[in-house]
Amino acid sequence: MNMRRTAAVARKEWKETVRDRLFLLMAFLLPGLWMVVFGYGLVLDVEHVPFAVLDRDQSSSSRDYLYRFIKSRYFDYRGSVREEREIDRLLGDTSIRMAIVVPERFEERLLAGRSVTVQTLLDGTFPLHADTAKGYVIAVNNSFTQELLTDFLTRTRGLVPGEAHRLTEPVSLETRYLYNEEVRSTWSMVPALIMFTLMVASPLLTALGVVREKETGSIYNIYSSTASKAEFLVGKLAPYFVISTINVAVLWMIAVWLFQVPFKGNIAVFFAASMLFVLCSIGIGLVISLLVRTQMAALIITIIIAMVPTLLFSGLLVPVSSLSPGAQVQAHLFPMMYYTAVVRGSFLKGLGLESMWTDVLALACFAVVLWLVAYGLFTKRPKA
Amino acid sequence: MIGNDGRVPEAVRLWALRLFVMTRKELLQLRRDVPLLLFLLYSFSLSIYVSGAGISMQLNNASLLVHDSDHSESSRELIHRFRQPYFRFDGEVQDQKVGVRRLDQGTAMLLLDIPPRFHESIVGHEPVSVQLLVDTTNAPQGLSAAGYASRIIGEFSFDRVSSRLGGASDGDIRIPRVDSAHRVWFNQDQNETWFQSISHILRMITLFAFLLPAAALVREKEHGTVEQLLVSPVTPLQIMLSKVLAMTLVILAATALAMASVLKPVFDVPVKGSAALFFLMTALYSFTTAGLGLFAATITKNQAQVGMIALLVISPMLLLSGIATPFEAMPPWVQTLMALSPLRYFVDVTYGILLKGVGLELLWDSVLAMVLLGGTLFGLGMWRFRRQLA
């Protein structure tokens, strides 16, 4: 490999990139903008579930009970209805996601020490939300029951409230949240978004850069030049590597300064792993660009290849350990999973190389394999 | 439009013929791009199967480690209550430190710590607490796991109370209690494959509906073939409309393929409403999104730029319109901004028709919003395109 020829190719590529103002602006602007939009907007907590109530008892107990839902930040009260038919319409129209039906004789039965069943109607189109809302309802019911019970025992057995309370909760749970003590959605999302952003932007830049030459025919200049395969590939991709590297630093700064996510790990390990991941993502873009002929195909295939497995298999939304076995295998076939582990490990868990070396090694292997595949696919004497 | 003699005037016939020819040209051009076509096929068949079968955002198989310092009847019963599908018991650890290390590595998500004398305390009517360590690097999943755990402990605790009180009052148990009964509508079993496969189709439709026409228009600009079209008798409207028509047809065919090959036979997704209405709405949505894509194409010079704009516009659409996250929970400014996203309305329409079985009588407002958005975007794109050609 001749360094002078490599540098010449790199310089040519850099000039072409810089000349296209919009492209250059986007290459730097897009990653930062994404981080900000998604970091603020992508809230995964199920809150403000819109609901309506049907109170068939209209007693002070039922009002007291329903008030617990109305004042909760998890629910958003949208009014009460008088018959079940109205609930049908509201759920069908997606004006509400949940309805609570308090039965007749609610107060009477509870005061007599009997059990009462409260019906909750849930919109199941979004199973996760329905399930989470169900959990909130059960939690409200449980705490209401416990208060009732304490109250009941004080009344019927003449216990003092403190004693009654001890009797009603023999076993309690103490939960400690590790790594993200306040369980903030942004803290878990923002580091993973660094991965997402790099994964989508870098391959796209690369793929378009290569296919552009193929489509306009300027690649024939390369075919007939003295630059070797390796010199062309390295020189061609150097500018994209530089852009992505600058972006890693910018994204890190956004995460730490704007979103105030703590960085507990080793910064050298983080940046080294990020370089490897950038090599992987550029490699993916390169392989795609060698398989397609038009920029249109490169564009669509790169976006889908970059986005879909990233959203689904990287651990961004769902932990890899919870995926089905088939999906877990797929997750291991892409580099995103390993880098997500490194990013979250470095930011939130404060891990060093000794606990993450397998992930870093996997990234290195992906980078080598992808570049070897690209080297094998690229030929200076294409057929036809 | 019908002339006095009852026949379609020559001008209208010619206009339609030119539009038809242009649409055919687009389809032919697309047919020649084999990698792209293969990818289209994959996206609307296999990839939908994979995301439907493989992804579950609900708490599933959360890996649980136990540090049991009591090894009693009660502790065993408690551990036994943490079970599938929510939790997966991944063994006991002898030392809490070992458990924390597993959480560090990410090979386990939860560590339940049962104190010594757990059983004794319960029998002796002494309050006792168990500790749960939760990995919250993924906050929503961690919260959900903690929620389930507290439900399990709550029930366990309540069972102790009722047996204690029951024993004291000769079998006649009198305990006031609010029980929860749930009825889940539209998807009784909370089958997540339905949700995931449908939302994946929505993602694919959005991507292709935006990119196909946008890339097709920009390619003409880039190659200079747009000048050739200009000297031909077609109008700018026909150029743009033909691209939208061709790509909408392709997307409808792909959606039908996805429904017939994956959704119906493999996942048993019901079509409770009218299938015809669903396809009509898909066409409307493709048109609206294509309008957005064409508008983007008019402000860019080449395909690389369109790609960047696409990423800028589509990724917030995909992530914030309510198929990835609950719409109601998002900050108000995001909700306001997303009023401009056609996907936000199409989500309601799709789930409404397919799972809820409702029709236009309830969905008209979403449909109207899509029509208005689509019309405006297409009009804007048209206006810019005309100006550029002038």
Side-chain angles (χ1 to χ4, degrees), chain A residues 20 30 34 88 97 116 118 120 122-124 126 131 141 170 172 174 176 178-179 188 294-296 349, chain B residues 33 103-104 128 130 132 134 136-137 148 177 179-181 183 185 222 303 305 307 312 315 322 328 356:
Chain A
D20 191 339
L30 201 61
W34 263 349
D88 293 9
R97 295 266 185 212
V116 173
V118 174
T120 317
L122 292 151
D123 176 347
F126 291 61
D131 200 53
N141 285 349
S172 57
E174 232 177 78
R176 251 182 64 203
L178 296 182
Y179 316 123
S188 56
T294 58
Q295 288 188 66
M296 180 167 167
K349 294 186 175 176
Chain B
D33 201 337
L103 292 185
D104 277 349
V128 61
V130 293
L132 184 73
V134 188
T136 40
T137 40
Y148 277 110
R177 169 171 194 173
D179 283 323
S180 322
R183 239 168 56 213
W185 285 22
E222 208 174 351
Q303 294 180 53
Q305 293 182 342
L312 193 69
S315 27
E328 297 89 10
K356 298 185 181 178

Side-chain angles (χ1 to χ4, degrees), chain A residues 7 56 80 146 178 184 196 286-287 316 338 370:
Chain A
R56 291 206 168 114
S80 69
Q146 212 186 339
L178 296 182
R184 293 196 197 161
F196 179 71
L286 184 59
V287 171
L316 176 75
Y338 307 97
L370 281 164

Side-chain angles (χ1 to χ4, degrees), chain A residues 211-241:
Chain A
V211 179
R212 185 172 51 197
E213 298 228 33
K214 277 167 91 175
E215 209 177 348
T216 56
S218 64
I219 200 153
Y220 285 96
N221 297 336
I222 301 292
Y223 291 157
S224 57
S225 74
T226 49
S228 72
K229 272 166 72 171
E231 284 160 9
F232 170 67
L233 289 180
V234 172
K236 173 97 191 164
L237 297 182
Y240 301 114
F241 183 74

Side-chain angles (χ1 to χ4, degrees), chain A residues 20 22-23 26 30 33-34 38 40-45 47-48 50 84 88 91-94 97 110 112-131 134-135 138 141 144-145 149 152 157 166-180 183-184 188 200 204-205 208 215 293-297 299-301 303-305 307-308 311-313 315 317-319 321-324 327 330 344 348-349 351, chain B residues 32-33 35-36 39 50-51 54-58 60 88 100 103-104 106 118 122 125 127-141 143 146 148-151 153 156-158 160-161 164-165 174-187 190-192 195 200 203-204 207-208 211-212 215 219 222-223 300 302-305 307-309 311-312 315-316 319-320 322 324-326 328-331 333-334 347 355-356 362:
Chain A
D20 191 339
L22 183 70
F23 188 76
M26 289 296 217
L30 201 61
L33 201 73
W34 263 349
F38 292 149
Y40 280 117
L42 195 62
V43 180
L44 286 166
D45 315 321
E47 281 176 14
H48 307 294
E84 251 188 277
D88 293 9
L91 280 174
D93 196 18
T94 328
R97 295 266 185 212
L110 287 178
R114 316 245 319 261
S115 73
V116 173
T117 304
V118 174
Q119 270 273 359
T120 317
L121 306 174
L122 292 151
D123 176 347
T125 41
F126 291 61
L128 176 71
H129 312 176
D131 200 53
K134 206 196 253 182
I138 292 176
N141 285 349
F144 191 72
T145 300
L149 194 57
F152 182 76
R157 306 215 173 170
R166 262 184 46 184
L167 197 64
T168 53
E169 197 180 9
V171 183
S172 57
L173 179 71
E174 232 177 78
T175 309
R176 251 182 64 203
Y177 299 108
L178 296 182
Y179 316 123
N180 180 0
V183 207
R184 293 196 197 161
S188 56
V200 184
L204 189 78
L205 287 172
L208 289 174
E215 209 177 348
R293 278 185 304 117
T294 58
Q295 288 188 66
M296 180 167 167
L299 189 77
I300 293 177
I301 294 175
I303 290 182
I304 291 178
I305 288 229
M307 238 182 203
V308 175
L311 285 180
L312 306 183
F313 305 125
L317 300 174
V318 186
S321 70
S322 305
L323 295 174
S324 72
Q330 291 211 32
R344 283 194 172 142
L348 298 171
K349 294 186 175 176
L351 301 180
Chain B
R32 258 187 284 160
D33 201 337
L36 185 62
F39 210 75
V50 169
S51 63
I55 298 136
S56 165
M57 301 261 287
Q58 278 169 287
N60 218 327
R88 185 182 64 220
V100 173
L103 292 185
D104 277 349
F118 178 67
I122 292 176
H125 294 201
V128 61
S129 69
V130 293
Q131 203 186 40
L132 184 73
L133 303 185
V134 188
D135 173 357
T136 40
T137 40
N138 190 324
Q141 291 269 328
L143 266 187
Y148 277 110
S150 97
R151 238 145 100 179
I153 304 280
F156 181 81
S157 177
F158 195 84
R160 296 292 157 285
V161 176
R164 197 178 291 166
L165 295 179
R174 287 180 31 110
I175 299 177
R177 169 171 194 173
V178 177
D179 283 323
S180 322
H182 301 280
R183 239 168 56 213
V184 178
W185 285 22
F186 314 127
N187 184 352
Q190 289 181 270
N191 185 340
E192 220 181 336
F195 171 69
H200 198 71
R203 280 196 275 269
M204 291 301 136
L207 277 172
F208 281 101
L211 283 175
L212 286 177
R219 192 181 42 199
E222 208 174 351
H223 289 188
T300 48
N302 55 46
Q303 294 180 53
Q305 293 182 342
M308 287 292 160
I309 298 266
L311 289 177
L312 193 69
S315 27
L319 283 157
L320 304 177
T325 63
E328 297 89 10
M330 281 188 290
W333 64 271
V334 178
V347 170
L355 296 185
K356 298 185 181 178
L362 286 181

Side-chain angles (χ1 to χ4, degrees), chain B residues 99-327:
Chain B
V100 173
R101 202 170 310 135
R102 295 274 306 270
L103 292 185
D104 277 349
Q105 288 164 351
T107 50
M109 190 173 160
L110 304 145
L111 175 63
L112 181 70
D113 198 339
I114 299 174
R117 301 188 54 249
F118 178 67
H119 184 69
E120 253 178 82
S121 309
I122 292 176
V123 176
H125 294 201
E126 240 180 273
V128 61
S129 69
V130 293
Q131 203 186 40
L132 184 73
L133 303 185
V134 188
D135 173 357
T136 40
T137 40
N138 190 324
Q141 291 269 328
L143 266 187
S144 173
Y148 277 110
S150 97
R151 238 145 100 179
I152 289 170
I153 304 280
E155 272 160 36
F156 181 81
S157 177
F158 195 84
D159 288 350
R160 296 292 157 285
V161 176
S162 43
S163 71
R164 197 178 291 166
L165 295 179
S169 58
D170 318 316
D172 176 26
I173 312 171
R174 287 180 31 110
I175 299 177
R177 169 171 194 173
V178 177
D179 283 323
S180 322
H182 301 280
R183 239 168 56 213
V184 178
W185 285 22
F186 314 127
N187 184 352
Q188 278 81 358
D189 309 323
Q190 289 181 270
N191 185 340
E192 220 181 336
T193 56
W194 291 1
F195 171 69
Q196 293 295 357
S197 55
I198 295 174
S199 57
H200 198 71
I201 287 195
L202 295 182
R203 280 196 275 269
M204 291 301 136
I205 293 177
T206 308
L207 277 172
F208 281 101
F210 184 98
L211 283 175
L212 286 177
L217 185 62
V218 164
R219 192 181 42 199
E220 306 246 27
K221 281 166 70 174
E222 208 174 351
H223 289 188
T225 45
V226 106
E227 271 82 21
Q228 291 176 12
L229 288 176
L230 275 187
V231 296
S232 72
V234 293
T235 63
L237 179 66
Q238 283 165 329
I239 297 176
M240 275 184 67
L241 206 56
S242 62
K243 293 190 194 304
V244 175
L245 274 180
M247 302 317 174
T248 302
L249 282 177
V250 170
I251 284 165
L252 280 181
T255 309
L257 171 82
M259 300 285 283
S261 71
V262 181
L263 258 61
K264 294 289 283 178
V266 185
F267 293 143
D268 282 321
V269 176
V271 181
K272 292 207 183 113
S274 145
L277 183 65
F278 172 65
F279 281 102
L280 191 69
M281 287 300 116
T282 308
L284 174 63
Y285 175 67
S286 306
F287 167 77
T288 306
T289 312
L292 193 61
L294 286 175
F295 180 66
T298 59
I299 59 173
T300 48
K301 282 202 286 291
N302 55 46
Q303 294 180 53
Q305 293 182 342
V306 163
M308 287 292 160
I309 298 266
L311 289 177
L312 193 69
V313 175
I314 286 186
S315 27
M317 256 172 86
L318 288 184
L319 283 157
L320 304 177
S321 290
I323 48 175
T325 63
F327 193 74

